[in-house]
Amino acid sequence: MKKSYREYYILKMDIKKYFYSIDKNILYNILKKRIKDKKVMWLIGQILSAQKREKGIEIGNYTSQTFANIYLNEVDQYATKKLKLKYYYRFMDDTVILLKNKEEAKMVLSKIKEFLEKNLKLELNSKTEIFKSKQGVNFCGYKINEYRIKVRNKGKNRFKKKVKALLQEIKAGNISSKEARNYLTGHLGYFNIANTYDLERKNIYLKNELKNIGIIY
């Protein structure tokens, strides 16, 4: 995008109260088109009808996460096949699209918004916006631009709190270093993807503490 257009635009979309807004009847019909096994569809019907409301699925269930992704696959197909969007990225209900100019971004936003309302009965929330590429974008817990991937402050603070709590547990003899390391595996993997030189330099004491107790090597 940088080579082709120098300055391009980013459309970032977020769905209003996503899990609570999923229409169960629409979801069931989407699944029914793909799944021919009547017993599986019966089971899905039981899961969806466990809560006696027309809209919304339970947050946290593995089935809910799967259903939520399948539901928005309808938008994926529309965006990539109908609108022919090349740089389209989605994680759950958080979507980022790279477009060559502001006019195209506005047009795509209008079409996707209409598709969501008409076909899935979903609305975009106030986090949805269009901005210049030089601002970078917050996506999947990172602040991303053409030159680097940085961990967002929210992620840094969460990690620091987790480490301090684990250090106290180790010193109190409640858990071992190995157990603490297991707790932090996901966090450390998340940090390894990003450019964290400044973070490591500013938190050298924390890094030494982690080394001393065998959480990192």
Side-chain angles (χ1 to χ4, degrees):
M1 292 295 286
K2 185 78 171 175
K3 286 179 182 177
S4 300
Y5 306 112
R6 292 191 179 179
E7 185 176 80
Y8 53 95
Y9 277 77
I10 298 171
L11 167 58
K12 190 170 189 297
M13 299 185 297
D14 197 75
I15 293 173
K16 185 177 180 181
K17 297 179 180 177
Y18 179 47
F19 277 82
Y20 296 116
S21 300
I22 291 173
D23 187 293
K24 291 181 182 181
N25 291 325
I26 294 174
L27 172 60
Y28 186 84
N29 287 326
I30 290 170
L31 293 164
K32 195 175 179 182
K33 288 177 187 176
R34 304 287 181 181
I35 300 170
K36 303 306 177 187
D37 190 311
K38 291 182 180 179
K39 290 180 180 179
V40 173
M41 287 310 302
W42 173 85
L43 181 58
I44 288 170
Q46 294 298 304
I47 293 168
L48 293 178
S49 62
Q51 293 290 327
K52 303 297 180 184
R53 57 175 184 243
E54 187 178 330
K55 276 196 166 189
I57 56 178
E58 299 307 303
I59 295 175
N61 294 348
Y62 285 123
T63 51
S64 293
Q65 292 173 32
T66 304
F67 292 156
N69 263 319
I70 290 170
Y71 201 71
L72 283 185
N73 177 61
E74 301 295 303
V75 189
D76 299 342
Q77 300 307 314
Y78 175 72
T80 55
K81 293 181 179 177
K82 295 288 185 182
L83 299 182
K84 306 292 184 184
L85 298 176
K86 186 176 181 182
Y87 302 109
Y88 171 93
Y89 310 94
R90 179 176 68 82
F91 180 79
M92 201 54 75
D93 63 322
D94 196 4
T95 304
V96 169
I97 308 172
L98 309 183
L99 299 145
K100 61 184 179 181
N101 55 52
K102 194 171 186 178
E103 289 68 36
E104 185 181 31
K106 284 182 177 179
M107 180 270 291
V108 167
L109 173 58
S110 177
K111 289 191 174 183
I112 291 180
K113 186 178 178 183
E114 183 182 355
F115 180 89
L116 285 168
E117 291 172 356
K118 183 179 178 182
N119 296 279
L120 299 175
K121 296 184 180 178
L122 296 174
E123 295 178 48
L124 295 173
N125 66 21
S126 58
K127 294 179 184 177
T128 298
E129 56 183 333
I130 295 168
F131 45 90
K132 291 181 180 179
S133 58
K134 64 182 180 182
Q135 290 179 230
V137 63
N138 291 325
F139 189 57
C140 292
Y142 299 102
K143 178 74 174 181
I144 305 170
N145 63 26
E146 293 116 345
Y147 309 105
R148 64 182 181 274
I149 300 175
K150 294 180 73 175
V151 176
R152 293 176 65 191
N153 289 334
K154 190 188 290 185
K156 294 176 193 174
N157 294 334
R158 192 183 298 125
F159 180 69
K160 288 176 191 174
K161 286 180 182 177
K162 187 72 174 176
V163 168
K164 286 178 181 177
L166 288 172
L167 288 172
Q168 288 176 354
E169 290 293 303
I170 291 169
K171 287 172 182 176
N174 296 328
I175 60 171
S176 66
S177 297
K178 184 178 180 181
E179 287 172 319
R181 188 164 60 249
N182 289 339
Y183 280 122
L184 289 176
T185 299
H187 290 282
L188 294 172
Y190 164 66
F191 275 80
N192 283 338
I193 293 170
N195 307 115
T196 56
Y197 174 76
D198 287 341
L199 179 65
E200 290 174 9
R201 182 171 52 81
K202 290 174 185 175
N203 292 280
I204 195 72
Y205 167 76
L206 189 61
K207 190 173 183 182
N208 286 336
E209 280 272 50
L210 291 171
K211 280 185 176 179
N212 290 337
I213 59 173
I215 292 181
I216 62 172
Y217 304 107

